[in-house]
Amino acid sequence: MNEALLRSLTPSVLAILVRRGAEFAAAEDAVQDALVEAVRVWPADPPRDATGWLVTVAWRRFLDATRADAARRRREDLVDEEPAPGIAPAVDDTLQLYFLCAHPSLTPSSAVALTLRAVGGLTTRQIAQAYLVPEATMAQRISRAKRTVSGLRFDQPGDVATVLRVLYLVFNEGYSGDVDLAAEAIRLTRQLAVVIDHPEVAGLLALMLLHHARRAARTAPDGSLVPLAEQDRGRWDTESIAEGVEILQAALARDRLGEFQAQAAIAALHADAPTAEETDWVQIVEWYDELARLTDSPVVRLNRAVAVGEADGPRAGLAALAALDNSSPSSSSRGHPIPRHAAVAAYLHERDGDLATAARLYAEAAQKAPNLAERDHLTRQAARLNASRCR
């Protein structure tokens, strides 16, 4: 059974049912039933038209559910609308399905779960395992999301930027359970790129490919983090890098710069450097300047401070960090809520030779680390500096 084929067909089949008038929640349930039936039947009797087969079976499941439901008033009308088995219509509503699953009325976590279920074709159990929550909890989250969007018009205009943010959230979850969410996000973004010609979609795809290319080198055999400067670049996936750069160059040539294209340009400069010492930090600072103008994000300015520290020296990086603190009242009056602020400050102070301050900040950063691997890495950095000071 080709599971990848089934998952790739899921959004178009679901979109066809919704276009025919099925409520989103009921349509999604019917499509899941059809996928289960396909797993059972196809190995012995594969259909000539996989999409048409799924549409026919899903529509019948939807009708069966409708007949059993209290709302029987439209039953006869729906039966009259049942299509004959055969080739599925050529209209592709996949893009509208992306928009629906990333609707502004949904919370980010609900939009991610619904996108993985309805567009990605993952089961509730797979999504729950990937996010390390009980299956019942994830089922409730998906059910609430489906109820939220069920009353929305399927053909209303959508927001590409919201869809891209949802896909980037999926990508950043990485890997857990039996689902590689980073690879799944790349697949869904490729799928989105087929149905919409937008430079920021291409920018996000390029960014994902360039980041994913370094995945094998990011951790040591014992599971500890390996910083970018210390990674074995021979383990980077050169094919993914080449594809990401090609996609990015085509997007940038359209002269409609967006935040994902700018992030991808920074990732490409890192990927292009044969060694960490040969990284073009001056260009990276310029791209962070572009990104800061596009997003006005304190996180972007934090990362820019690191780049400035590499390009112009640690004192310049610390000055950029101080400028960020002065321009963001929240970052100084509430103990630096910007993620990884303490880690960046520690790194810059270490490069400037202030090991005592760096060790203290590494320890502080470890306490705020978002995951165990990062906490262990920062704790080791603090211990390393404290040991060197005692010699």
Side-chain angles (χ1 to χ4, degrees), residues 3-35:
E3 182 181 347
L5 172 63
L6 283 176
R7 286 167 58 188
S8 69
L9 295 176
T10 296
S12 59
V13 174
L14 177 55
I16 288 170
L17 263 65
V18 175
R19 176 69 68 182
R20 286 176 176 168
E23 185 186 61
F24 180 85
E28 203 276 332
D29 289 340
V31 171
Q32 292 296 323
D33 287 344
L35 294 175

Side-chain angles (χ1 to χ4, degrees), residues 55 194 284 357:
V55 169
V194 170
I284 289 176
T357 299

Side-chain angles (χ1 to χ4, degrees), residues 149-224:
V149 301
S150 284
L152 300 173
R153 284 176 45 219
F154 189 61
D155 58 351
Q156 63 186 15
D159 179 15
V160 174
T162 302
V163 174
L164 296 182
R165 282 193 291 272
V166 168
L167 292 175
Y168 198 39
L169 284 173
V170 176
F171 179 79
N172 283 329
E173 288 297 327
Y175 176 86
S176 55
D178 64 350
V179 177
D180 186 337
L181 288 177
E184 181 65 15
I186 291 172
R187 184 184 75 83
L188 293 177
T189 306
R190 285 190 192 278
Q191 187 171 275
L192 180 62
V194 170
V195 296
I196 183 170
D197 183 19
H198 194 294
E200 273 293 83
V201 176
L204 178 59
L205 179 56
L207 176 63
M208 289 177 174
L209 289 168
L210 290 164
H211 279 319
H212 203 55
R214 304 199 302 261
R215 177 173 179 167
R218 283 200 189 102
T219 55
D222 63 359
S224 60

Side-chain angles (χ1 to χ4, degrees), residues 42 72 90 100 110 117 126 148 174 184 194-195 210-211 220 231 258 267 298 308 367 369:
W42 285 11
R72 299 180 181 273
L100 195 64
S110 294
R117 166 86 180 208
Q126 286 174 316
T148 299
E184 181 65 15
V194 170
V195 296
L210 290 164
H211 279 319
Q231 288 176 13
V308 169
Q367 294 177 347

